[in-house]
Amino acid sequence: MQNSDLEINEVQIQDEYSGEYSYEEKPTALTYFLPSLLMVFIIAGMFEGGVFAQENTFVKNQFLTESKLSPRILQSGFNVLSEENLAEGLMDTVYTDKDNWLELKIHEQMVYVHWRNGKTDKYPVSTGNKFLDKGLESRPGLFAIFVKEEHHESSQFDNADMYHFMPFNQGIGFHSINGTAYYQHLGVRPSSHGCIRMKHEDVKKMFGDVELGTIVLAHRGKFARTVAFAPKDYDVNQQAYTPQEYKQMLAENLYNVLNGKYYVADRKYFVVDPKMIPKSGVYIGYDREIPKKQEIPKPEFIINYPEDKLTENLTAAAIKQLESNPPVQDNNDETTEFVSNDNSVKKDISVSSSDELVKKYFSNPIGVLPYFPPTKK
């Protein structure tokens, strides 16, 4: 038989040793096209929503702004997640619905205004010096601006002029004072009796940019709480919380981070009400280490041994009832086992009550600042 007699989709092949002929199906365009098309769909799926996806895919009511995975993990498609990966860069996030928040870096002598649009303004400051007479050292914590006053006269320091005064920690706040001689210390070292001194033009600009209730995070480079923006269109706290509930939620969230239970505990997402932040501040874990590992939830799974179709017609309520109170069955009945490996949620024995939890993880241990009365002349 000659090649011309073959079907169009067959090809004649001669064995080089025996000389015998055999026939194989001739490759067609579809032979190559279909596998290639399949690979295109697979790769496209990876980029669209799979391992190569670069966008956060977090539920909106979790505010989209908080990623439980570090950027390095999100960007490396085939990394295997471990407890160390999940703990990297993890902090408790406090959400604000305002357009900016302030970060006072005491160790840098700088204040940063973080904006919702990603912009950051930076201003040199001079914080409190505890070695001065009646001086107070600036202290860490989560605060909120509770007063704005363009010109304030100090009741403690002989009616000294304080311009664009914005207190956040009891009587301590941002402001400028008369003259410019103090500018030499801004961004360099602490030189005030407690307040945060700024240049006239800088504090005037910041005074106009921030509003009452703006969050202030003060720290020395070590902290376990940070601030993020809730979505602009988020329905702020769909329920009203009491002051005690705010304290409890903030305490529980920080407790879970510092005790390695961030992923296994029920996390509460809410916009903090600045009026609920005490003037002494909220604890930010400045003296604690965030664990290098966070517990990972263990999966729950169901094993079915289908020997009849009895349960197919059961209602959802009936199935739920069976799950909670399984009947005694013999070997001929269908058997369903509910297996859970999640034994990782354990209570910290050092916290035995809600009041103790709030005291340990909400209340700022720094406490109330001392007051020095005016000097008598």
Side-chain angles (χ1 to χ4, degrees):
M1 181 182 294
Q2 303 299 320
N3 284 347
S4 59
D5 298 325
L6 294 175
E7 296 290 339
I8 194 168
N9 63 341
E10 292 184 346
V11 63
Q12 187 182 48
I13 300 175
Q14 183 180 22
D15 188 280
E16 61 178 323
Y17 297 107
S18 65
E20 295 180 354
Y21 289 93
S22 60
Y23 303 93
E24 292 186 3
E25 186 177 349
K26 182 179 180 180
T28 65
L30 288 177
T31 306
Y32 301 105
F33 178 73
L34 289 178
S36 301
L37 185 62
L38 180 61
M39 287 300 298
V40 169
F41 280 117
I42 292 174
I43 294 173
M46 288 179 174
F47 280 97
E48 180 65 25
V51 294
F52 294 115
Q54 296 297 312
E55 296 182 3
N56 291 345
T57 56
F58 300 98
V59 182
K60 185 174 183 180
N61 64 6
Q62 294 181 357
F63 297 153
L64 300 177
T65 55
E66 180 178 19
S67 168
K68 293 183 179 180
L69 307 179
S70 69
R72 182 176 66 83
I73 299 303
L74 286 175
Q75 294 172 6
S76 53
F78 292 103
N79 276 6
V80 177
L81 297 180
S82 67
E83 294 180 29
E84 289 86 352
N85 295 143
L86 293 173
E88 183 182 350
L90 184 65
M91 292 186 186
D92 173 43
T93 304
V94 177
Y95 292 97
T96 178
D97 61 342
K98 302 192 182 303
D99 288 330
N100 51 39
W101 62 277
L102 305 180
E103 182 179 13
L104 174 61
K105 296 187 178 183
I106 302 169
H107 58 300
E108 291 184 5
Q109 295 292 284
M110 291 286 176
V111 62
Y112 295 79
V113 184
H114 298 289
W115 291 85
R116 179 180 292 276
N117 62 8
K119 182 182 71 169
T120 298
D121 296 327
K122 177 181 177 182
Y123 303 112
V125 301
S126 188
T127 61
N129 187 338
K130 65 180 179 180
F131 297 107
L132 297 177
D133 182 35
K134 299 182 181 180
L136 296 173
E137 183 180 29
S138 297
R139 302 175 179 184
L142 184 75
F143 307 93
I145 292 176
F146 57 87
V147 168
K148 290 180 65 179
E149 191 175 356
E150 289 194 22
H151 181 207
H152 175 78
E153 293 184 355
S154 173
S155 60
Q156 187 171 347
F157 295 100
D158 303 321
N159 296 324
D161 293 312
M162 303 161 68
Y163 302 102
H164 298 100
F165 183 48
M166 293 174 281
F168 59 89
N169 179 12
Q170 296 163 81
I172 289 176
F174 301 97
H175 68 82
S176 63
I177 58 176
N178 288 322
T180 59
Y182 68 95
Y183 279 18
Q184 63 183 313
H185 303 303
L186 301 181
V188 179
R189 66 179 183 87
S191 64
S192 82
H193 286 85
C195 280
I196 316 302
R197 291 179 179 175
M198 299 178 65
K199 293 180 180 179
H200 295 294
E201 60 271 23
D202 288 350
V203 72
K204 181 178 181 180
K205 172 71 165 55
M206 197 168 81
F207 187 91
D209 286 340
V210 305
E211 58 181 287
L212 285 176
T214 297
I215 301 298
V216 180
L217 176 66
H219 64 84
R220 298 191 183 100
K222 186 177 178 182
F223 50 100
R225 273 193 161 119
T226 187
V227 182
F229 298 105
K232 190 66 175 176
D233 58 348
Y234 180 75
D235 184 10
V236 178
N237 297 344
Q238 299 167 8
Q239 70 178 83
Y241 296 111
T242 66
Q244 185 58 35
E245 286 173 331
Y246 271 110
K247 292 179 181 180
Q248 186 75 21
M249 291 187 298
L250 285 166
E252 287 178 357
N253 285 351
L254 183 60
Y255 163 83
N256 290 330
V257 170
L258 292 178
N259 287 276
K261 301 181 183 299
Y262 181 83
Y263 296 104
V264 298
D266 290 332
R267 182 165 177 78
K268 297 176 178 62
Y269 294 87
F270 57 93
V271 175
V272 67
D273 182 351
K275 295 179 181 178
M276 301 302 173
I277 297 179
K279 292 180 175 60
S280 58
V282 174
Y283 178 53
I284 61 171
Y286 63 87
D287 55 350
R288 294 282 300 272
E289 295 291 339
I290 298 176
K292 294 181 179 179
K293 293 183 178 182
Q294 292 284 334
E295 297 176 20
I296 301 174
K298 305 302 186 296
E300 294 184 359
F301 55 92
I302 300 174
I303 304 174
N304 288 312
Y305 304 97
E307 296 183 6
D308 59 52
K309 302 296 182 182
L310 178 62
T311 58
E312 287 187 357
N313 298 321
L314 291 178
T315 64
I319 292 175
K320 186 174 181 181
Q321 180 65 22
L322 282 175
E323 291 175 4
S324 58
N325 299 294
V328 178
Q329 299 173 327
D330 58 34
N331 293 332
N332 296 323
D333 291 334
E334 178 179 301
T335 304
T336 303
E337 292 183 15
F338 293 88
V339 182
S340 174
N341 292 325
D342 194 356
N343 336 337
S344 54
V345 181
K346 300 174 183 177
K347 287 188 176 180
D348 184 350
I349 57 174
S350 65
V351 178
S352 58
S353 68
S354 296
D355 290 342
E356 191 172 352
L357 184 73
V358 168
K359 181 179 179 181
K360 190 171 182 180
Y361 292 95
F362 172 84
S363 300
N364 205 354
I366 291 168
V368 178
L369 298 173
Y371 173 76
F372 301 104
T375 304
K376 293 181 179 180
K377 295 181 180 180

